[in-house]
Amino acid sequence: PHRNFRDGHVTVGGIIYQGDSFPERFRGKYISGDLLGHGVQWHDLEPWGSTFKSSHGGELLVANDTWFATSDVTMGPDGSVFVSDWYDQRTAHPDPDAEWDRSNGRIYKIESQGTKAVSKFDLSKLSSKELAELLAQPNDWYAREARCLLAERRDAKVIPVLRKNILEGKNDRLALQSLWALYVSGGFNEALAAKLLTHRNRNIRTWTVRLLGDARRVSPSIHKQLL
């Protein structure tokens, strides 16, 4: 269910904003392109049983141009939001279908006033331990990049640090980030899963079930716990 519906009926390229440069009221909001409404909107999400319900929050970008056609949005390392606009006179159901103008595409950057430019950097030069420390960053861009690099390395030396974050840490967000990083680093197994199924945080328990299910096979003892 979605309350206060506005403009066009095609929502594309959505992200949950988890940056640290926009005002705090935007954190956790769903930001998405409104293809036929020619803009970018943000929405409130509320848990609703096993899923979510939503409501319109406001406009993040108003194009005032009927050629503006958002096809995707993403977030950068400075917390700003990038918007891709395929920019075409037609946005839906053209005839003939193949006659698109491919010369007009644009990319826009939406940043909060006072946002500082990010100096040049290369996360791949960091040690695995330093990458694990980035999981605590309030800007989720760094945590995602760190997890990608850890997945490529499969560095077993970082596994004890990640386990400690999950089992002993008090930061639930860091615990979940560490669980994802642990999984892609090859440190997830049934012995750990047995402990995580009783973890205080429901997101850890939920993702433990998900990761166990991905293997499509569990031991009898884990089966009992799941039941």
Side-chain angles (χ1 to χ4, degrees), residues 159-175:
I159 289 174
V161 174
L162 299 173
R163 284 177 61 100
K164 186 174 182 180
N165 289 345
I166 303 167
L167 296 171
E168 301 177 26
K170 304 300 181 184
N171 184 328
D172 288 341
R173 180 179 177 277
L174 176 59

Side-chain angles (χ1 to χ4, degrees), residues 3-223:
R3 297 191 304 275
N4 303 323
F5 179 82
R6 306 285 176 88
D7 300 324
H9 63 275
V10 181
T11 299
V12 294
I15 59 169
I16 304 297
Y17 184 76
Q18 298 180 80
D20 54 358
S21 64
F22 276 26
E24 181 61 27
R25 64 189 177 92
F26 284 101
R27 188 167 185 87
K29 303 301 183 184
Y30 177 58
I31 295 175
S32 61
D34 180 9
L35 180 68
L36 300 181
H38 313 292
V40 179
Q41 301 178 348
W42 61 272
H43 311 276
D44 291 303
L45 295 177
E46 303 172 54
W48 191 56
S50 62
T51 182
F52 290 86
K53 57 184 177 180
S54 58
S55 59
H56 179 268
E59 283 83 23
L60 191 65
L61 182 154
V62 179
N64 297 317
D65 184 347
T66 58
W67 283 36
F68 181 87
T70 315
S71 57
D72 201 5
V73 299
T74 191
M75 192 181 74
D78 64 353
S80 298
V81 171
F82 289 85
V83 180
S84 65
D85 167 23
W86 97 51
Y87 204 71
D88 202 295
Q89 186 176 12
R90 302 177 300 182
T91 52
H93 312 297
D95 185 22
D97 186 61
E99 290 186 3
W100 297 102
D101 185 342
R102 301 179 185 274
S103 66
N104 285 328
R106 296 136 187 247
I107 298 176
Y108 295 95
K109 181 183 181 185
I110 307 174
E111 67 177 35
S112 185
Q113 284 187 332
T115 298
K116 296 179 181 179
V118 177
S119 301
K120 188 176 180 179
F121 63 93
D122 184 354
L123 296 185
S124 67
K125 294 181 179 179
L126 298 181
S127 68
S128 296
K129 183 176 181 296
E130 290 172 321
L131 290 175
E133 290 171 356
L134 287 180
L135 300 176
Q137 278 271 3
N139 183 340
D140 194 60
W141 186 93
Y142 288 95
R144 288 173 180 266
E145 292 296 314
R147 294 202 313 269
C148 286
L149 289 167
L150 290 171
E152 292 170 2
R153 294 181 185 182
R154 303 281 288 187
D155 185 357
K157 290 183 289 187
V158 79
I159 289 174
V161 174
L162 299 173
R163 284 177 61 100
K164 186 174 182 180
N165 289 345
I166 303 167
L167 296 171
E168 301 177 26
K170 304 300 181 184
N171 184 328
D172 288 341
R173 180 179 177 277
L174 176 59
L176 184 58
Q177 292 279 355
S178 297
L179 174 58
W180 291 333
L182 182 83
Y183 180 74
V184 298
S185 297
F188 183 83
N189 54 43
E190 284 204 346
L192 176 63
K195 297 179 180 179
L196 299 186
L197 286 173
T198 60
H199 196 277
R200 67 178 185 280
N201 183 266
R202 67 177 183 179
N203 291 322
I204 295 292
R205 300 193 300 271
T206 298
W207 272 92
T208 299
V209 173
R210 158 70 184 271
L211 298 176
L212 284 168
D214 281 352
R216 296 181 178 272
R217 183 176 184 177
V218 295
S219 66
S221 60
I222 289 289
H223 179 231

